[in-house]
């Protein structure tokens, strides 16, 4: 989709000319779930990556995984999920599908946070817009609601959880998402963290998926984050691995 290229190019031009990097930005990637951190007003977040997945004689490569986050007011951010350009390879037929995925529009709002910042709860409302290629679109506007929580257990250990509900629309059945993900930062290397946990998708037609996932995140210059992530789906025995980048920016002052 040409407009996806234009939006992405516009964002990079805007960042390069009018923004400065933020060191205290907290990304939602890596991992299947989202974090409870809400972007501060006036801050822009860019998160992107690539992923290779394989299973059921289908290999898929996603490039982009583009998420744009905009802090518009206290406790509220707007989100644009430009997602990926995907290519599927079928082992048995040598057939290939390629094209853009559906786009998404969302908002995240912080519901609660303790004074010490150890506990935070947020909610996300999202709609998926059916503009993707035929092989990657739902053909419907699909709404989803999430409740997201983070709890610090010690200085180096935390626990994150997501509970999401996607509404059934048209021929699409509804489904629930549940994630439970412990995270750990290394005592002598505070810019390096790891996570490992569970993510389950429970479909209204009883086609359930159960993922074991894990990954690493490294904070480098000016708060930029590099990540490595992977997951294994237990029922269909599929696997994915990816790498990514995230950075927050503030509007440059004249």
């Amino acid at each position: 989709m040409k407009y996806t290229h234009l939006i992405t190019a516009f964002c990079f031009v805007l960042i390069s000319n009018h923004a400065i990097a933020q060191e205290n930005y907290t990304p939602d990637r890596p991992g299947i779930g989202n974090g409870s951190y809400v972007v501060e007003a006036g801050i822009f977040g860019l998160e992107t990556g690539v992923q290779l997945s394989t299973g059921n004689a289908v290999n898929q490569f996603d490039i982009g995984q583009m998420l744009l986050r905009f802090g518009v007011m206290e406790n509220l951010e707007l989100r644009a999920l430009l997602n990926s350009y995907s290519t599927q390879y079928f082992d048995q037929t040598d057939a290939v599908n390629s094209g853009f995925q559906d786009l998404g529009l969302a908002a995240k709002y912080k519901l609660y946070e303790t004074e010490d910042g150890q506990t935070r709860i947020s909610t996300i409302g999202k709609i998926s817009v059916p503009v993707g290629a035929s092989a990657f679109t739902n053909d419907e506007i699909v709404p989803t609601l999430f409740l997201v929580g983070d709890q610090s257990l010690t200085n180096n250990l935390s626990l994150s959880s997501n509970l999401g509900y996607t509404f059934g629309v048209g021929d699409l059945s509804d489904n629930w998402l549940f994630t439970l993900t412990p995270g750990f930062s290394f005592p002598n290397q505070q810019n390096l963290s790891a996570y490992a946990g569970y993510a389950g998708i429970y479909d209204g037609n009883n086609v359930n998926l159960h993922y074991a996932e894990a990954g690493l995140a490294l904070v480098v210059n000016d708060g930029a984050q590099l990540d490595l992530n992977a997951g294994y789906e237990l029922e269909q025995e599929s696997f994915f691995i990816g790498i990514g980048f995230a950075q927050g920016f503030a509007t440059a002052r004249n």
Side-chain angles (χ1 to χ4, degrees):
M1 307 295 288
K2 292 183 179 180
Y3 59 82
T4 305
H5 289 236
L6 291 174
I7 294 172
T8 304
F10 173 77
C11 290
F12 279 109
V13 171
L14 183 66
I15 290 170
S16 62
N17 290 281
H18 302 285
I20 54 177
Q22 286 291 105
E23 294 187 1
N24 59 349
Y25 176 78
T26 302
D28 270 351
R29 63 171 302 122
I32 293 174
N34 292 285
S36 62
Y37 169 81
V38 174
V39 175
E40 298 177 6
I43 303 300
F44 168 77
L46 170 66
E47 305 182 19
T48 186
V50 298
Q51 178 176 293
L52 175 65
S53 55
T54 181
N56 293 327
V58 180
N59 303 307
Q60 181 169 319
F61 182 65
D62 302 322
I63 180 169
Q65 295 187 324
M66 186 75 69
L67 170 62
L68 308 179
R69 305 170 65 185
F70 308 88
V72 294
M73 58 184 295
E74 184 179 6
N75 300 331
L76 177 65
E77 71 173 66
L78 300 181
R79 301 156 66 87
L81 296 88
L82 304 187
N83 292 326
S84 297
Y85 183 86
S86 298
T87 304
Q88 288 179 334
Y89 304 91
F90 296 85
D91 292 342
Q92 297 179 352
T93 64
D94 293 328
V96 176
N97 288 327
S98 61
F100 283 96
Q101 299 174 356
D102 286 343
L103 304 185
L105 301 174
K108 182 193 283 189
Y109 183 77
K110 184 170 67 178
L111 297 172
Y112 173 78
E113 184 174 14
T114 56
E115 291 185 4
D116 59 8
Q118 299 298 298
T119 303
R120 187 189 302 116
I121 300 173
S122 298
T123 185
I124 303 173
K126 185 190 82 170
I127 59 170
S128 175
V129 184
V131 295
S134 59
F136 304 102
T137 182
N138 287 320
D139 289 321
E140 300 283 355
I141 295 176
V142 182
T144 303
L145 294 175
F146 297 92
L147 189 65
V148 183
D150 288 309
Q151 175 66 52
S152 295
L153 304 176
T154 69
N155 289 336
N156 302 104
L157 182 64
S158 63
L159 186 65
S160 180
S161 183
N162 284 206
L163 180 63
Y165 178 71
T166 299
F167 293 83
V169 180
D171 294 331
L172 303 174
S173 62
D174 63 337
N175 66 73
W176 290 88
L177 168 71
F178 174 71
T179 71
L180 188 64
T181 313
F184 177 79
S185 60
F186 295 88
N188 297 322
Q189 192 74 27
Q190 289 294 319
N191 62 336
L192 179 64
S193 60
Y195 71 94
Y198 167 80
I201 300 175
Y202 306 92
D203 191 271
N205 290 331
N206 296 318
V207 181
N208 301 326
L209 302 176
H210 304 279
Y211 289 90
E213 59 167 340
L216 294 169
L218 176 66
V219 178
V220 292
N221 296 337
D222 296 324
Q225 176 183 284
L226 305 176
D227 67 72
L228 172 67
N229 59 93
Y232 182 76
E233 202 288 306
L234 304 176
E235 297 295 325
Q236 300 183 9
E237 298 183 341
S238 60
F239 175 79
F240 70 83
I241 186 169
I243 57 174
F245 169 83
Q247 175 75 73
F249 301 89
T251 302
R253 298 178 180 177
N254 296 325

